[in-house]
């Protein structure tokens, strides 16, 4: 629902790796600019091939560490899956998120403890936990953590 809103045009998927969720989001929302941030060249090259094969702009694959991303790159929504604890990904995400943007993190076990450990980082960047959505699929429990 959040991504579908017209006010959000640019999305960055930090640590895209195999392309989930970034490639899937680009397929579902072809009118959005989904940038895949991947610091490992081999993975970034693979993602460029996937984007090109699907007819998307492979220039939206940035082979760079998040903390080295140019200040000119700011995004409406920043996603992360499997990149690290909430404290770390909130800090990375806040650095590339536009004002009034959103962070969406895919998390599994231990989320409550991670949120507790991230309180000072969230406060430092003026972020707040907006919602935690429980997702259970095929017996696997996951959470979507929405931060604004």
């Amino acid at each position: 629902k959040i991504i579908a809103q017209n006010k959000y045009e640019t999305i960055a998927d930090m640590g895209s790796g195999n392309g989930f969720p970034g490639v899937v989001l680009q397929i579902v929302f072809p009118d959005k600019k989904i940038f895949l941030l991947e610091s490992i060249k081999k993975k970034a090259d693979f993602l460029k091939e996937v984007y090109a094969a699907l007819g998307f702009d492979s220039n939206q694959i940035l082979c760079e560490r998040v903390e080295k991303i140019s200040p000119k790159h700011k995004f409406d929504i920043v996603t992360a899956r499997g990149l690290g604890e909430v404290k770390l990904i909130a800090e990375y995400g806040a650095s590339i998120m536009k004002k009034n943007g959103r962070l969406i993190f895919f998390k599994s076990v231990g989320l409550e403890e991670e949120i507790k450990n991230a309180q000072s980082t969230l406060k430092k960047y003026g972020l707040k936990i907006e919602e935690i959505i429980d997702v259970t699929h095929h017996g696997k429990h996951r959470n979507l953590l929405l931060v604004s």
Side-chain angles (χ1 to χ4, degrees):
K1 285 183 176 181
I2 291 172
I3 293 171
Q5 294 178 23
N6 287 334
K7 67 180 179 178
Y8 299 121
E9 296 176 7
T10 59
I11 299 165
D13 180 34
M14 300 186 297
S16 291
N18 65 3
F20 185 79
V23 173
V24 175
L25 291 172
Q26 187 66 81
I27 291 167
V28 174
F29 301 104
D31 57 322
K32 307 284 185 187
K33 285 191 160 226
I34 315 280
F35 288 81
L36 308 183
L37 314 181
E38 177 53 61
S39 65
I40 299 171
K41 185 178 180 340
K42 186 175 182 178
K43 291 179 181 181
D45 288 345
F46 165 75
L47 293 169
K48 284 182 180 188
E49 287 183 31
V50 169
Y51 255 39
L54 293 171
F56 299 124
D57 185 355
S58 62
N59 289 321
Q60 291 172 205
I61 312 302
L62 304 178
C63 185
E64 196 77 60
R65 291 189 56 83
V66 174
E67 58 270 39
K68 303 259 184 188
I69 295 290
S70 165
K72 72 178 180 178
H73 289 293
K74 294 285 185 185
F75 306 93
D76 297 309
I77 295 175
V78 179
T79 66
R81 178 185 149 271
L83 187 61
E85 291 198 7
V86 171
K87 181 177 181 175
L88 175 73
I89 58 179
E91 184 170 358
Y92 284 169
S95 73
I96 61 171
M97 181 180 74
K98 289 181 182 176
K99 184 178 170 107
N100 299 318
R102 297 269 178 79
L103 305 176
I104 303 174
F105 304 142
F106 298 79
K107 300 299 295 176
S108 59
V109 297
L111 180 59
E112 295 80 17
E113 188 68 25
E114 285 188 37
I115 290 172
K116 190 186 311 181
N117 293 338
Q119 288 305 306
S120 62
T121 301
L122 295 171
K123 186 175 180 180
K124 175 181 176 181
Y125 292 100
L127 301 172
K128 64 178 179 145
I129 305 296
E130 190 175 314
E131 187 176 1
I132 299 171
I133 301 170
D134 178 56
V135 179
T136 302
H137 185 66
H138 294 296
K140 292 187 178 185
H141 176 75
R142 301 284 187 265
N143 294 292
L144 284 176
L145 178 63
L146 307 179
V147 181
S148 58

